[in-house]
Amino acid sequence: MHAVSFQCAGERACCRGHQLMGILRSVCVLLIVFVAAASASHDAPQDGTHDPTNVTHKKGFPVLLFNYDHVRTPFEISLWILLALLMKLGFHVIPRVSQVVPESCLLIVVGLLVGGFIKAIGEKAPALDDTLFFLYLLPPIILDAGYFLPVRPFTENVGTILVFAVVGTLWNAFFMGGVMYGVCQLEGGQLASVDLLSCLLFGSIVSAVDPVAVLAVFEEIHINELLHILVFGESLLNDAVTVVLYHLFKEFSAVGTVTVLDGVLAVVCFFVVSLGGLLVGAIYGVLGAFTSRFTSHTRVIEPLFVFLYSYMAYLSAEVFHLSGIMSLIACGVTMRPYVEANVSHKSYTTIKYFLKMWSSVSETLIFIFLGVSTVAGPHAWNWTFVVVTVVLCLVSRVMGVIGLTYVINKFRIVKLTKKDQFIVAYGGLRGAIAYSLGFLLPDHPMKTLFLTAIITVVFFTVFVQGMTIRPLVELLAVKKKKETRRSINEEIHTQFLDHLLTGIEGVCGHYGHHHWKDKLNRFNKTYVKRWLIAGERSMEPQLISFYNKMEMRQAMMMVESGSSAKLPGLISMQNIQPKVESRGRTIPKISKGREEEIRRILRSNLQQTKQRLRSYSRHDLFADPFEDMNENLSEMRFRKQRVEMERRVRLRVNEGRSAEERLFCRVFPISA
């Protein structure tokens, strides 16, 4: 019976399987018919007639396809960035190379090799055009420099920086343009057609110090903070002068005539370009700081606001032909203190390292593109024009620095020595900004000659001056940057000196930069912080805020580890540290970033400058309500200390006496 039942069950299952297979066959046939009908209707003639000769053949399923054109652009961009990073990695792996050759020189050599390889295989090498450079590669470098700009050294030397950036750039442009015009007229031949306005246009292009090249070289030689901020600050602030002179002489060379009104408008344009760029950057910086107030629930998008507001400030300045570099600097400096008070620690770390990574990649690509563009050409070589250009760049720079320093030292407390002047003059490097401005010239008859001379100047300053500045710094024993951090004692005394100088300026009636810095700090603390910093953190002292943050972080660590079932309320940091048995003294270890944060908090809180005191008047003296209480407490404390001292003296006297003397003292007590 069991066998029969199993046999019947098997037959039923087999019948069901046949039925299922039949249904699947029917579905497959219907799908095939549907696909065939669709393909037939697609391949049929559009006029409705049937072509019997049109027979479609089914193609095999493509297992592997090759379509490079579909991903060519992003693939080549990724390949370029990967090549740049590998070159940068290999440069720092070999310490001997990095000590002799600057990183920028090696990257230009890599660009020359890549450009030569591309030209050898018959392909067109990509050039460093103005759109790629000014809109994509330059902003990350300037944003990184502006966001982490050392504000104190910059503000203390802003007068000297402005003199070098404005007067020095004007001197270089007009001196080089005038001398080059005289050389072109004496040379004759091919250079006879170069007019004065074209020479002044060329002088305005090659006169400005390049911030990219300065950053690449000066960060490797670790020059002292004063010289670094002078040269780097000049390279940042001379952008406004360069932009105005470039557009001015470009328009004049196209028209051919210059009037007095044009000169007046050029001066007005300089102030509009510079101050307009600063204003645009400050507005976007305030907007970015205000937006960061409301990001406490969406921490992941906090870094994006910093990058986007900064980039929008740069683009908005470029729309009106303002100084995009100064706009980025103003945006970063304005935004940073308030953004750091609002965003989380992880967001701050993300902003810091992403900016460093982004600027490093952009800097690497710029120097590689310079090498590739050099090979790509075209070039028009003229020995007289090129050699005179290189010589004039050095001569005008040295004469300008010596002459301006002679005037500047009359107003500086810390004078610039001969060594400092030499480093400032020798560190005036040219870079990709000059090449991009030359590339922007619209069908100028001398454009190719100008580009060849600009590339030669860039190569000379980067290779010759960049490679020899480190040995010269060591030979002249120029003071280098301090690698160790200042102690808390030094920082407190620095703050005390600021407070003292502010008071001296107030007493003397001389309103110097200490006075205005104190006014700005008061305005910032009273009004600006309340609008740009979220919640009660605008009024809370930084030391208390940092302490609460540390307690909360330690409590979260305890909860995650499950080491404590009950969390304390307000406990000290010593009570929540895990107990570790050790034989010797345990020294706590903190990271460099935490140490710098603690230093900053202590520096800004341990010494409050210019505290407001009640003004004195001989007509109305207000009694302090706490004065009597303080005096009573002091008197009570003094009496207790006196009684305690008398008791100790009596004990010591009694210890040295005999029994008879002690009995005598009890009967006839003595006074202390």
Side-chain angles (χ1 to χ4, degrees):
M1 293 296 293
H2 292 289
V4 173
S5 62
F6 286 141
Q7 184 177 1
C8 294
E11 290 178 357
R12 287 195 298 268
C14 183
C15 292
R16 292 175 182 174
H18 286 298
Q19 292 176 0
L20 182 59
M21 292 299 294
I23 294 172
L24 291 176
R25 289 193 189 96
S26 302
V27 172
C28 292
V29 170
L30 290 175
L31 289 175
I32 293 172
V33 171
F34 177 76
V35 172
S39 60
S41 63
H42 178 73
D43 296 334
Q46 299 297 325
D47 54 358
T49 60
H50 178 67
D51 188 7
T53 60
N54 188 10
V55 180
T56 59
H57 298 280
K58 183 181 179 181
K59 296 181 179 179
F61 184 80
V63 178
L64 180 63
L65 292 177
F66 182 80
N67 189 6
Y68 177 69
D69 295 333
H70 180 63
V71 296
R72 179 171 183 174
T73 301
F75 184 82
E76 291 181 353
I77 293 175
S78 302
L79 189 62
W80 275 92
I81 297 177
L82 180 61
L83 176 64
L85 296 179
L86 290 177
M87 293 300 103
K88 201 176 187 70
L89 180 63
F91 174 79
H92 291 284
V93 167
I94 308 174
R96 294 183 179 179
V97 178
S98 60
Q99 293 176 0
V100 178
V101 182
E103 182 180 340
S104 55
C105 300
L106 183 66
L107 294 174
I108 291 179
V109 172
V110 173
L112 292 173
L113 296 177
V114 173
F117 176 76
I118 294 176
K119 193 172 184 179
I121 62 177
E123 295 289 336
K124 183 180 179 181
L128 183 62
D129 59 346
D130 57 306
T131 303
L132 175 65
F133 176 75
F134 284 107
L135 297 184
Y136 301 106
L137 296 180
L138 183 61
I141 301 175
I142 304 301
L143 177 58
D144 175 62
Y147 193 81
F148 298 103
L149 182 71
V151 179
R152 183 184 179 90
F154 184 81
T155 54
E156 289 178 351
N157 300 279
V158 67
T160 305
I161 294 172
L162 284 174
V163 171
F164 282 134
V166 179
V167 183
T169 305
L170 290 174
W171 157 258
N172 291 334
F174 284 98
F175 178 78
M176 290 190 62
V179 176
M180 286 301 302
Y181 177 70
V183 172
C184 292
Q185 297 303 314
L186 293 176
E187 175 67 16
Q190 182 182 359
L191 302 179
S193 59
V194 183
D195 56 349
L196 178 60
L197 291 176
S198 298
C199 291
L200 291 175
L201 175 62
F202 176 74
S204 66
I205 293 175
V206 297
S207 62
V209 180
D210 188 79
V212 182
V214 170
L215 274 176
V217 174
F218 271 60
E219 287 186 353
E220 296 182 11
I221 62 177
H222 302 287
I223 201 68
N224 65 77
E225 198 172 39
L226 174 61
L227 296 180
H228 184 273
I229 201 64
L230 287 181
V231 181
F232 179 59
E234 177 193 356
S235 66
L236 291 177
L237 298 187
N238 64 11
D239 176 68
V241 183
T242 305
V243 169
V244 172
L245 291 178
Y246 176 78
H247 290 290
L248 179 69
F249 291 129
K250 187 172 70 171
E251 295 293 333
F252 289 168
S253 61
V255 176
T257 57
V258 182
T259 61
V260 178
L261 180 61
D262 294 331
V264 175
L265 292 178
V267 176
V268 175
C269 183
F270 163 72
F271 288 101
V272 171
V273 169
S274 57
L275 298 180
L278 291 176
L279 180 61
V280 170
I283 291 174
Y284 275 97
V286 171
L287 289 176
F290 184 74
T291 307
S292 64
R293 285 186 47 144
F294 310 100
T295 58
S296 58
H297 301 289
T298 53
R299 295 294 189 185
V300 70
I301 63 175
E302 287 175 340
L304 290 177
F305 283 115
V306 176
F307 304 143
L308 291 178
Y309 274 116
S310 303
Y311 193 53
M312 288 297 295
Y314 180 83
L315 295 179
S316 300
E318 291 293 328
V319 167
F320 299 99
H321 290 284
L322 303 176
S323 176
I325 292 179
M326 299 188 72
S327 179
L328 267 180
I329 296 170
C331 183
V333 171
T334 305
M335 184 190 304
R336 182 185 178 184
Y338 310 107
V339 168
E340 289 184 357
N342 290 328
V343 302
S344 63
H345 183 71
K346 292 182 179 179
S347 297
Y348 168 73
T349 306
T350 303
I351 294 170
K352 177 180 178 181
Y353 285 100
F354 188 82
L355 278 180
K356 296 295 182 183
M357 180 270 295
W358 197 7
S359 63
S360 178
V361 172
S362 297
E363 176 186 316
T364 305
L365 289 177
I366 285 173
F367 287 113
I368 290 181
F369 268 115
L370 273 177
V372 174
S373 301
T374 303
V375 177
H379 301 291
W381 187 266
N382 186 287
W383 279 102
T384 304
F385 192 86
V386 172
V387 173
V388 171
T389 300
V390 174
V391 173
L392 285 179
C393 283
L394 293 175
V395 173
S396 64
R397 178 70 179 174
V398 172
M399 293 176 61
V401 169
I402 293 176
L404 293 177
T405 306
Y406 176 77
V407 179
I408 290 171
N409 280 339
K410 295 182 179 297
F411 303 94
R412 286 183 60 91
I413 299 176
V414 180
K415 311 296 182 183
L416 297 178
T417 63
K418 299 295 183 181
K419 296 180 181 180
D420 298 336
Q421 298 176 37
F422 175 78
I423 297 300
V424 171
Y426 202 74
L429 308 178
R430 276 67 170 181
I433 290 182
Y435 176 81
S436 299
L437 291 176
F439 193 85
L440 276 173
L441 293 176
D443 298 330
H444 197 276
M446 306 302 295
K447 178 179 179 179
T448 306
L449 179 62
F450 287 173
L451 281 177
T452 304
I454 290 171
I455 290 177
T456 306
V457 170
V458 171
F459 276 44
F460 179 83
T461 55
V462 172
F463 279 89
V464 178
Q465 296 179 217
M467 292 179 64
T468 56
I469 191 171
R470 184 197 294 268
L472 289 175
V473 166
E474 296 178 355
L475 179 64
L476 297 175
V478 179
K479 185 179 178 181
K480 292 190 176 182
K481 183 179 179 181
K482 292 177 62 177
E483 298 296 336
T484 58
R485 300 288 183 182
R486 293 192 304 176
S487 63
I488 300 296
N489 190 19
E490 292 176 344
E491 294 179 351
I492 292 175
H493 280 80
T494 302
Q495 193 77 10
F496 169 74
L497 289 177
D498 291 341
H499 167 62
L500 182 63
L501 292 174
T502 304
I504 292 174
E505 289 179 356
V507 171
C508 297
H510 173 72
Y511 295 150
H513 69 276
H514 290 90
H515 171 80
W516 295 112
K517 184 173 67 173
D518 183 72
K519 291 290 186 183
L520 183 62
N521 290 334
R522 289 183 180 277
F523 177 79
N524 180 37
K525 184 178 180 180
T526 307
Y527 301 103
V528 181
K529 280 187 175 182
R530 295 182 178 180
W531 288 97
L532 300 184
I533 297 180
E536 299 178 353
R537 299 185 63 183
S538 60
M539 305 299 297
E540 185 180 33
Q542 295 182 0
L543 195 62
I544 298 177
S545 175
F546 179 70
Y547 175 78
N548 291 333
K549 186 188 298 183
M550 290 293 296
E551 275 199 338
M552 182 61 67
R553 184 177 302 173
Q554 189 70 21
M556 292 176 63
M557 291 175 59
M558 293 176 64
V559 171
E560 293 176 357
S561 61
S563 59
S564 178
K566 182 179 180 181
L567 290 176
L570 292 176
I571 53 178
S572 63
M573 294 299 297
Q574 295 179 356
N575 294 333
I576 59 178
Q577 292 291 339
K579 296 183 179 180
V580 180
E581 295 182 358
S582 58
R583 297 180 180 178
R585 181 182 176 184
T586 303
I587 301 177
K589 295 182 180 180
I590 58 176
S591 61
K592 294 278 180 84
R594 183 65 49 73
E595 182 181 357
E596 183 64 23
E597 188 175 2
I598 294 173
R599 288 175 182 272
R600 179 176 58 83
I601 293 171
L602 292 176
R603 184 172 64 249
S604 59
N605 286 276
L606 290 183
Q607 177 65 35
Q608 297 292 338
T609 60
K610 210 168 183 179
Q611 300 291 334
R612 289 190 178 274
L613 300 176
R614 181 171 295 174
S615 59
Y616 170 78
S617 176
R618 64 186 181 89
H619 300 290
D620 50 349
L621 292 176
F622 297 97
D624 191 354
F626 298 98
E627 183 177 1
D628 296 335
M629 184 178 66
N630 292 334
E631 290 182 356
N632 294 333
L633 291 176
S634 300
E635 187 177 356
M636 291 174 61
R637 189 180 300 109
F638 175 73
R639 289 179 179 178
K640 289 182 179 180
Q641 292 178 356
R642 183 177 179 181
V643 171
E644 181 68 20
M645 186 180 297
E646 290 178 354
R647 187 181 65 83
R648 292 180 179 178
V649 170
R650 286 171 179 169
L651 288 176
R652 291 179 181 177
V653 171
N654 290 335
E655 288 178 357
R657 290 172 177 173
S658 60
E660 294 81 2
E661 291 176 347
R662 292 177 186 174
L663 180 60
F664 180 81
C665 289
R666 289 178 184 176
V667 177
F668 304 100
I670 62 174
S671 59

